[in-house]
Amino acid sequence: MYRITGADGKEYGPVSADQVRQWVAEGRANAQTLVQAEGRTEWKPLAVYPELTMPSAGPTPPPVPTATTGRIPNYLVQSILVTVCCCLPLGIPAIIFAAQVNSKLAAGDVTGALESSRKAKLWCWLAFGLGLAAQLVYGVFYLALLQRGAVHRGMMLP
């Protein structure tokens, strides 16, 4: 008998090896799904248990991207930078989506990780673009005031 952790983070089981193999065949579990064997306390990837990964278990699921097969960027550093330096309101969603990438990968949800990565990148670019546009508008406004003589030593004059 086995217990597994689903992509939703919930525990399922105890279930038989046949049931786990059926879930693999249906795509509900894969080689990275965490499994706890009966009488054990540690959780291990399903791939560690040969009785659960027999050829009769169906097609092999696609591997989770790693450093050698291509990784999914999380854009966390970029998200933090655009939040601090460019645009706080648009940087916050970027940070939220960036933080979801690694946890979704750990749960075996490659599709969800790719979607969160894509959204984090989008919000980073939006925050950067809006921050850049705001700085350009500020610069143009400041130069216009400077030419009119309304700015003196960093202070606005009446």
Side-chain angles (χ1 to χ4, degrees), residues 36-53:
Q36 182 185 48
E38 188 173 39
R40 303 283 181 136
T41 57
E42 69 276 355
W43 290 83
K44 296 182 181 179
L46 187 138
V48 171
Y49 298 96
E51 67 274 15
L52 302 178
T53 58

Side-chain angles (χ1 to χ4, degrees), residues 57-142:
T60 305
V64 171
T66 62
T68 57
T69 63
R71 61 181 208 88
I72 298 174
N74 63 16
Y75 298 103
L76 187 58
V77 172
Q78 295 91 331
S79 299
I80 293 169
L81 288 174
V82 297
T83 301
V84 172
C85 300
C86 297
C87 182
L88 178 70
L90 297 182
I92 291 173
I95 290 174
I96 291 169
F97 286 117
Q100 292 175 354
V101 174
N102 292 345
S103 60
K104 287 184 178 183
L105 274 177
D109 184 9
V110 177
T111 306
L114 285 168
E115 183 65 16
S116 291
S117 176
R118 185 190 65 77
K119 288 179 180 177
K121 182 180 179 182
L122 172 70
W123 284 102
C124 282
W125 278 111
L126 290 173
F128 178 75
L130 188 61
L132 183 63
Q135 289 297 318
L136 288 174
V137 168
Y138 174 80
V140 168
F141 180 70
Y142 185 80

Side-chain angles (χ1 to χ4, degrees), residues 141-153:
F141 180 70
Y142 185 80
L143 287 175
L145 289 176
L146 196 66
Q147 283 185 348
R148 293 177 65 193
V151 178
H152 181 65
R153 294 186 191 156

Side-chain angles (χ1 to χ4, degrees), residues 24-27 29-32 46-47 52-64:
V24 171
E26 293 170 354
N30 61 35
Q32 289 78 33
L46 187 138
L52 302 178
T53 58
M54 294 172 44
S56 63
T60 305
V64 171

